Amino acid sequence: MDGPVNSRGGSTTSVDVDDLDLSKLLDKPKLKIERKRSFDERSFSELPINVRQLESYDSLYSPGYRSSGIGTPLSTRGEAFDPHPMVGEAWEALRRSLVYFKGMPVGTIAAYDHASEEVLNYDQVFVRDFVPSALAFLMNGEPEIVKHFLLKTLHLQGWEKRVDRFKLGEGVMPASFKVLHHPTRKTETLIADFGESAIGRVAPVDSGFWWIILLRAYTKHTGDISLAETPECQKGMRLILSLCLSEGFDTFPTLLCADGCSMIDRRMGIYGYPIEIQALFFMSLRCALILLKHDAEGKEFIERIVKRLHALSYHMRSYFWLDFQQLNDIYRYKTEEYSHTATNKFNVIPDSIPDWVFDFMPCRGGYFIGNVSPARMDFRWFALGNFVAILSSLATPEQSTAIMDLIEERWEELIGEVPLKITYPAIESHEWRIVTGCDPKNTRWSYHNGGSWPVLLWLLTAACIKTGRPQIARKAIELAESRLQKDSWPEYYDGTLGRYVGKQARKFQTWSIAGYLVSKMMLEDPSHLGMISLEEDKAMKPLIKRSASWNCSKPKEDM
């Protein structure tokens, strides 16, 4: 049987999955944990190496604890929320998207669009797409769905993966999978996609990272560490880490990636060291540091993780960060500098700075740029990478504040009428033809090229709560509520303000639905943030100057 066409990323491997091992794992008893200490706090305190124990924010949220009960600036506790009429429909739509394998829910399909003639791969369960669905189910007290998904994708990870006769790394997680029902034989088969069916034949780099992050979210929220401590999950994490922690010719601690390996799953000039992958890499390393057992194999990986985290945090915070002062410094760079004393370490030519940056960069604000490599800086704003940087504490508190300042200062450009821009600005004309290969789906202000994606609402909300700016999230959610239900929950919107439903956007896109629900539940009960947020580790904080946004002007009043 031919595999389905994959428009997003992922080889097609058909397997009859033996569920004996999985059922044994599901039957394992849960380990009860005292709620006086959070799961993360326990893990960090027991590390044999010098990693700072979590304190303050993260330790407020014990596993499964639904309300912090602590009046902090990060909490909107005490505010009453009337359920919006579209919440009920959103839950109904999310449940319609559930996929079952042998009677168990194992994920949600990408889109439930009856009007579309071309299903393509939108009837599959995508690892990255399922994350907001998983968070919604966890927040709603339905962790078993997430547990089944984690185990099923873990089982698929173990199969041999080939793309055009070339064997992929052992730890690669699938981009997606689907369940095929055989009515005559009365059997069910899983088809996993690792890249062979993808447009452009690109394997997903982010799937493994999201899997580790979701495993930590499940463990954090439920207090059930027995799943993460199974030999199967421990091996799965080690296989993922082996792929990205290997040493080679690269002199940077960042992870070298191809175009189309992440949520930006088509050619958009993100090859090299894209911010989205680096932020997810950083967050997954921190989550793995919490989840790995301290046995012989685990300790070896823990030591490698700690070394990489120190180098990666310094590199990202120093070289990927851009604010008004840093832009001015780059503008005055000298070139062809030699030796370790060079200021312009990547030999970036100041004339390569695009004109739009000078107008876009406010005096108050900053962000992590899209990419940094020899003689190249991609100055574009990428939403997912910046929000994950805040949630993982890759961004320092000062940098996190500056990112939120930028969003307030550039509301029209980044949020618009329907939240929110996946990247800014769009690439156009001759540059568009060269960079995208004339990709008709990625025309300016559409899809990945400056389109507006409702799913990003949950990441914005989480970042707002963590930085004490819930009013920003509230305003963005109100904008979304004015359009999403009326427009049948589209995948993305087009236009400079996100005013038009995307020209090829699927309706009833599951992660648009789940992203809205997660945003609502998180804003109503900020303690949910604990499952997807990590507090800063001071041991990894490099000595860098404050963002220019802190001294350039007086902060604005709350919106």
Side-chain angles (χ1 to χ4, degrees):
M1 179 182 294
D2 292 336
V5 176
N6 188 334
S7 67
R8 299 158 87 100
S11 133
T12 301
T13 306
S14 177
V15 293
D16 288 310
V17 179
D18 181 2
D19 276 325
L20 290 178
D21 293 333
L22 297 181
S23 62
K24 289 178 183 177
L25 293 176
L26 288 168
D27 291 337
K28 287 196 174 185
K30 294 183 179 180
L31 184 62
K32 299 292 182 183
I33 303 177
E34 290 184 6
R35 299 198 175 192
K36 294 178 182 177
R37 296 190 301 164
S38 74
F39 172 69
D40 295 355
E41 190 177 19
R42 178 196 68 82
S43 300
F44 268 68
S45 65
E46 294 174 9
L47 284 177
I49 43 190
N50 184 24
V51 177
R52 172 181 165 270
Q53 223 184 63
L54 286 180
E55 60 186 28
S56 67
Y57 188 80
D58 203 39
S59 60
L60 294 179
Y61 306 113
S62 296
Y65 197 52
R66 294 189 57 82
S67 179
S68 68
I70 297 175
T72 69
L74 302 174
S75 173
T76 55
R77 184 175 174 265
E79 295 185 12
F81 281 80
D82 293 326
H84 195 279
M86 62 191 269
V87 169
E89 184 192 305
W91 271 111
E92 289 178 14
L94 183 60
R95 295 196 187 284
R96 281 201 306 269
S97 70
L98 278 168
V99 173
Y100 292 83
F101 181 74
K102 298 189 176 179
M104 297 188 302
V106 293
T108 51
I109 58 173
Y112 198 79
D113 190 351
H114 293 293
S116 176
E117 295 179 1
E118 288 186 310
V119 176
L120 296 178
N121 60 347
Y122 283 83
D123 62 344
Q124 297 185 27
V125 179
F126 280 83
V127 172
R128 79 173 69 96
D129 291 38
F130 181 67
V131 171
S133 296
L135 295 178
F137 287 125
L138 286 174
M139 292 176 186
N140 202 46
E142 301 176 72
E144 289 303 308
I145 299 172
V146 182
K147 189 173 186 178
H148 296 160
F149 169 84
L150 289 167
L151 289 171
K152 194 59 58 183
T153 47
L154 180 66
H155 196 84
L156 295 170
Q157 181 199 32
W159 295 98
E160 183 176 297
K161 301 164 278 285
R162 290 182 179 273
V163 177
D164 289 344
R165 300 177 180 268
F166 183 74
K167 185 179 178 182
L168 299 181
E170 189 179 2
V172 173
M173 278 286 185
S176 63
F177 65 86
K178 71 179 299 182
V179 179
L180 283 184
H181 302 274
H182 305 283
T184 53
R185 290 186 290 169
K186 295 184 179 179
T187 60
E188 293 178 340
T189 304
L190 282 183
I191 295 181
D193 183 3
F194 294 92
E196 187 172 327
S197 297
I199 290 177
R201 300 296 186 269
V202 181
V205 176
D206 61 341
S207 291
F209 298 153
W210 279 122
W211 187 88
I212 292 176
I213 292 167
L214 186 56
L215 177 62
R216 183 259 176 185
Y218 168 86
T219 307
K220 174 77 174 176
H221 192 70
T222 63
D224 173 20
I225 68 170
S226 62
L227 176 64
E229 290 191 341
T230 59
E232 294 80 4
C233 282
Q234 291 289 309
K235 181 183 178 183
M237 282 188 285
R238 292 196 301 268
L239 287 174
I240 295 168
L241 295 169
S242 294
L243 285 175
C244 55
L245 290 175
S246 59
E247 297 171 344
F249 288 99
D250 206 336
T251 58
F252 310 136
T254 41
L255 196 62
L256 185 62
C257 297
D259 250 341
C261 65
S262 57
M263 182 181 175
I264 309 290
D265 58 22
R266 283 175 175 243
R267 184 177 171 187
M268 273 288 290
I270 64 167
Y271 55 87
Y273 308 91
I275 178 61
E276 177 180 331
I277 290 297
Q278 311 316 316
L280 287 171
F281 180 30
F282 181 88
M283 190 167 192
S284 65
L285 288 179
R286 291 202 63 191
C287 290
L289 196 60
I290 296 165
L291 297 169
L292 283 171
K293 294 174 70 173
H294 303 148
D295 52 19
E297 290 178 297
K299 284 182 179 179
E300 177 192 346
F301 276 95
I302 287 171
E303 291 174 3
R304 292 170 66 186
I305 288 171
V306 171
K307 290 177 182 176
R308 190 65 168 261
L309 281 172
H310 278 273
L312 183 60
S313 62
Y314 177 83
H315 185 93
M316 296 299 296
R317 292 168 177 175
S318 301
Y319 304 130
F320 273 66
W321 181 252
L322 189 71
D323 56 23
F324 184 85
Q325 184 59 53
Q326 181 66 10
L327 179 59
N328 206 118
D329 291 343
I330 296 171
Y331 178 69
R332 291 169 49 81
Y333 267 168
K334 295 179 180 179
T335 58
E336 304 300 327
E337 292 182 292
Y338 180 75
S339 88
H340 63 277
T341 60
T343 302
N344 186 359
K345 297 181 184 297
F346 299 96
N347 197 38
V348 174
I349 311 300
D351 286 347
S352 69
I353 304 175
D355 292 338
W356 67 264
V357 178
F358 297 103
D359 295 326
F360 177 73
M361 177 59 69
C363 193
R364 169 179 169 263
Y367 65 104
F368 289 99
I369 64 174
N371 221 314
V372 176
S373 57
R376 177 181 181 236
M377 296 183 83
D378 183 348
F379 290 90
R380 285 176 294 175
W381 151 271
F382 289 89
L384 194 152
N386 275 274
F387 293 144
V388 172
I390 291 175
L391 296 176
S392 65
S393 288
L394 171 59
T396 65
E398 295 86 356
Q399 289 173 335
S400 296
T401 297
I403 292 171
M404 302 313 296
D405 287 343
L406 179 80
I407 289 172
E408 287 189 301
E409 294 283 345
R410 294 291 176 257
W411 184 268
E412 274 204 2
E413 292 90 336
L414 302 180
I415 305 297
E417 293 189 13
V418 179
L420 61 118
K421 283 278 178 288
I422 189 172
T423 184
Y424 180 88
I427 51 179
E428 308 181 51
S429 305
H430 184 61
E431 184 186 12
W432 168 78
R433 285 189 284 272
I434 295 173
V435 172
T436 73
C438 298
D439 185 353
K441 196 167 187 178
N442 268 341
T443 53
R444 64 178 187 168
W445 307 115
S446 180
Y447 201 51
H448 299 315
N449 191 12
S452 295
W453 292 70
V455 64
L456 296 170
L457 192 61
W458 80 265
L459 286 155
L460 171 65
T461 302
C464 288
I465 294 172
K466 184 169 183 180
T467 55
R469 308 276 189 96
Q471 73 281 359
I472 297 178
R474 196 174 300 115
K475 183 178 178 182
I477 290 172
E478 288 173 359
L479 286 173
E481 287 176 337
S482 70
R483 292 290 303 272
L484 286 181
Q485 184 180 26
K486 182 176 68 174
D487 296 335
S488 300
W489 308 94
E491 180 183 15
Y492 61 93
Y493 286 80
D494 287 354
T496 54
L497 296 176
R499 182 174 292 174
Y500 306 98
V501 175
K503 60 188 175 191
Q504 294 188 44
R506 291 301 193 278
K507 299 293 184 70
F508 290 96
Q509 186 79 17
T510 303
W511 67 354
S512 296
I513 297 164
Y516 167 71
L517 288 172
V518 171
S519 299
K520 291 288 283 187
M521 288 189 284
M522 202 178 293
L523 201 57
E524 291 172 13
D525 182 359
S527 70
H528 289 312
L529 180 66
M531 74 173 83
I532 200 66
S533 174
L534 293 164
E535 190 56 30
E536 185 186 26
D537 177 13
K538 292 287 176 61
M540 290 187 295
K541 187 172 183 178
L543 296 173
I544 60 174
K545 60 189 176 185
R546 280 192 166 196
S547 163
S549 69
W550 278 71
N551 50 36
C552 195
S553 65
K554 201 174 180 181
K556 287 184 176 180
E557 295 295 322
D558 287 347
M559 296 173 61

